[in-house]
Amino acid sequence: MKKDELSNVIDTKFNDEQKRHQYGKKQKIPKLQYIRPLFFTVIMSVTLIALVSKIYEVVRFLLVSK
């Protein structure tokens, strides 16, 4: 009795997992979704350029003021 129940549970879980991993046609991604990584890259690049320029100004100020 318990073996049958355990076997049924294992079979159902196995079938559920197998269904989950079946490959099908994927939904199309909206075109705006491609803009987000590009926007993030632009923002990060501008931020890094601003940070480097400010660090350069601070170092130059410290070296010239002596």
Side-chain angles (χ1 to χ4, degrees):
M1 181 87 172
K2 291 210 177 216
K3 286 185 180 182
D4 291 336
E5 288 178 24
L6 183 60
S7 179
N8 287 337
V9 169
I10 290 172
D11 287 340
T12 56
K13 294 293 182 182
F14 179 77
N15 289 335
D16 291 344
E17 193 68 23
Q18 193 174 19
K19 286 178 187 175
R20 221 176 60 143
H21 288 286
Q22 286 180 348
Y23 296 104
K25 189 173 182 181
K26 292 183 179 179
Q27 295 179 354
K28 290 186 176 182
I29 297 175
K31 299 222 185 271
L32 291 176
Q33 199 109 28
Y34 292 106
I35 294 174
R36 287 176 18 191
L38 180 65
F39 186 64
F40 177 75
T41 305
V42 169
I43 294 286
M44 288 302 293
S45 300
V46 170
T47 304
L48 287 174
I49 290 170
L51 181 65
V52 167
S53 69
K54 290 297 177 184
I55 290 174
Y56 175 73
E57 287 180 19
V58 168
V59 168
R60 190 176 67 176
F61 176 76
L62 292 174
L63 291 177
V64 172
S65 66
K66 289 184 178 183

